[in-house]
């Protein structure tokens, strides 16, 4: 793998990007954690919406990976990722077990990819 | 450090996060493979995983680096993807407010979707937990597995066939965290609205669909809360 060897020497472009993304990301992480040590408590105006952060952000991360809007309803629904995701979601709901959710989801994906839709 | 060397709260964090590793390990592997695909070497791949430590943004940045996109676009995209952590930072900050500046600076570095979601759920349920130790147990475990997985991905390179769909483990991890987060009507409405908007807005540049979806979901949750009371 010559790429890997060459990469060890120098790639200023990649390093500039890595450091810049790292600094920006750390700033985002630190922002409120730093701030709330200085001000007294969290204003209730901020607290109420925070309750909806986990479901909203997690759903916005997950759904686009499971659903791609197709030209028709059938094309959208008959997608191996959506079906596998739905199965995994049902398991998550019934068991609240992360291991079971991932195992079922990957198993369902492979079943549809290599057996059913193959 | 106070308490015994193998602290109960720390171990609880390690224990609770361990099932998530099933999704994180392949995710990290994919990040390593993507780094090789983008023409990066082991040093850059590990450097990125240590310095950035945020999977989704790493994958997006690697893709753009491989396409020779302008640096501003690479950094801007990664920033937009990681803006959600602003909300995590605000949400978890009250739990850390009593700690010193240095400890908070260290805890902030380890902030991820999984460490955040696990910790706030545990703090709600179990107020007696030492917050920083539980969080550290979960977050540091994730960090270690993430670094090992990245190295493994670089070394294995293209050995893992695309057809296995290992990246699918990533949404499955988030799904497993999402379902219990939708625990009543307003939180469920927030999740459904955010997901629907994010799907429709998926084509927006710079991954803005994620932010737009999340903000719509938070708004929908608040509206539901107000109309129900």
């Amino acid at each position: 793998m010559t790429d890997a060897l060459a990469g060890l020497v120098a790639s200023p472009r990649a390093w500039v990007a890595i450091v810049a993304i790292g600094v920006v990301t750390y700033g985002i992480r630190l922002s409120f954690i730093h701030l709330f040590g200085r001000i007294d408590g969290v204003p209730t105006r901020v607290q109420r919406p925070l309750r909806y952060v986990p479901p909203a952000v997690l759903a916005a991360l997950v759904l686009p990976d499971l659903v791609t809007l197709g030209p028709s309803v059938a094309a959208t629904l008959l997608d191996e990722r959506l079906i596998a995701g739905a199965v995994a979601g049902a398991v998550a709901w019934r068991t609240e077990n992360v291991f079971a959710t991932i195992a079922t989801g990957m198993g369902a994906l492979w079943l549809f990819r290599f057996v059913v839709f193959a | 450090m106070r308490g015994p060397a193998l602290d109960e709260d720390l171990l609880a964090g390690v224990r609770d996060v361990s099932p998530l590793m099933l999704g994180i390990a392949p995710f990290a592997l994919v990040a390593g493979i993507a780094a090789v695909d983008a023409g990066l070497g082991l040093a850059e791949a590990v450097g990125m995983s240590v310095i950035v430590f945020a999977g989704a943004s790493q994958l997006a940045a690697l893709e753009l680096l491989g396409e020779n996109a302008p640096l501003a676009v690479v950094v801007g995209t990664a920033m937009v993807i990681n803006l959600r952590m602003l909300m995590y930072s605000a949400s978890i900050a009250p739990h850390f407010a009593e700690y010193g500046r240095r400890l908070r600076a260290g805890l902030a570095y380890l902030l991820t979707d999984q460490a955040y979601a696990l910790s706030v759920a545990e703090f709600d349920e179990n107020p007696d937990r030492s917050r920083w130790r539980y969080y550290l147990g979960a977050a540091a475990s994730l960090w270690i597995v993430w670094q090992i997985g990245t190295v493994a991905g670089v070394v294995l390179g293209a050995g893992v066939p695309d057809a296995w769909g290992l990246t699918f483990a990533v949404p499955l991890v988030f799904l497993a965290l999402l379902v219990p987060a939708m625990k009543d009507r307003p939180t469920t409405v927030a999740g459904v609205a955010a997901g629907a908007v994010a799907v429709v807005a998926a084509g927006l540049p710079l991954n803005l669909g994620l932010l737009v979806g999340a903000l719509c979901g938070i708004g929908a949750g608040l509206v539901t809360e107000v109309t129900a009371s």
Side-chain angles (χ1 to χ4, degrees):
Chain A
M1 192 79 16
T2 49
D3 274 354
L5 286 177
L8 282 171
V9 185
S11 176
R13 206 177 107 79
W15 279 113
V16 170
I18 290 166
V19 171
I21 295 168
V23 168
V24 168
T25 304
Y26 182 64
I28 294 170
R29 286 176 159 132
L30 186 62
S31 57
F32 284 94
I33 291 177
H34 174 71
L35 195 68
F36 284 159
R38 315 191 110 200
I39 61 174
D40 279 336
V42 186
T44 36
R45 265 204 3 225
V46 179
Q47 268 177 8
R48 273 185 56 226
L50 289 180
R51 199 164 99 76
Y52 301 106
V53 171
V57 174
L58 290 169
L61 275 171
V62 171
L63 268 295
D65 280 349
L66 303 183
V67 186
T68 307
L69 294 178
S72 67
V73 176
T76 302
L77 294 181
L78 277 179
D79 185 295
E80 58 191 16
R81 290 169 306 139
L82 179 56
I83 301 169
V87 173
V91 171
W93 180 58
R94 297 295 297 183
T95 68
E96 294 210 353
N97 181 314
V98 179
F99 179 91
T101 304
I102 295 166
T104 321
M106 289 309 295
L109 181 77
W110 290 332
L111 180 70
F112 287 109
R113 181 168 289 183
F114 297 125
V115 182
V116 180
F117 290 159
Chain B
M1 186 148 72
R2 294 174 298 141
L6 282 177
D7 186 88
E8 191 194 320
D9 294 310
L10 190 88
L11 285 178
V14 176
R15 188 194 59 220
D16 290 354
V17 82
S18 52
L20 300 183
M21 298 307 181
L22 266 181
I24 299 304
F27 190 0
L29 210 62
V30 168
I33 295 169
V36 175
D37 282 350
L40 267 60
L42 183 63
E44 284 107 337
V46 173
M48 182 182 254
S49 278
V50 170
I51 295 171
V52 178
F53 186 48
S57 69
Q58 286 182 227
L59 286 182
L62 286 168
E63 199 176 307
L64 291 168
L65 279 174
E67 293 165 4
N68 269 317
L71 277 177
V73 172
V74 178
V75 178
T77 302
M79 184 183 82
V80 167
I81 293 174
N82 289 339
L83 269 182
R84 69 185 187 285
M85 294 183 190
L86 202 65
M87 301 188 255
Y88 299 162
S89 182
S91 172
I92 208 164
H95 297 292
F96 294 158
E98 63 185 280
Y99 301 138
R101 179 196 292 243
R102 278 195 193 169
L103 178 56
R104 279 185 288 124
L107 298 178
Y109 164 66
L110 291 172
L111 190 63
T112 55
D113 301 277
Q114 294 81 10
Y116 160 74
L118 269 183
S119 297
V120 292
E122 175 70 13
F123 300 159
D124 267 359
E125 204 154 289
N126 212 341
D128 290 338
R129 274 266 177 256
S130 156
R131 297 182 176 213
W132 76 270
R133 288 188 218 170
Y134 179 87
Y135 170 89
L136 184 67
S141 305
L142 286 164
W143 188 90
I144 292 166
V145 170
W146 185 255
Q147 307 310 335
I148 295 172
T150 301
V151 173
V154 172
V155 174
L156 292 174
V160 181
D162 270 358
W164 288 12
L166 284 187
T167 45
F168 193 65
V170 178
L172 290 176
V173 171
F174 293 133
L175 184 65
L177 296 169
L178 165 66
V179 171
M182 304 200 310
K183 55 193 170 226
D184 55 24
R185 217 172 108 81
T187 48
T188 304
V189 170
V192 171
V197 172
V199 167
V200 173
L204 289 181
L206 296 174
N207 283 289
L208 276 171
L210 169 67
L211 266 189
V212 173
L215 289 174
C216 289
I218 292 168
L222 282 169
V223 168
T224 310
E225 180 189 313
V226 169
T227 50
S229 62

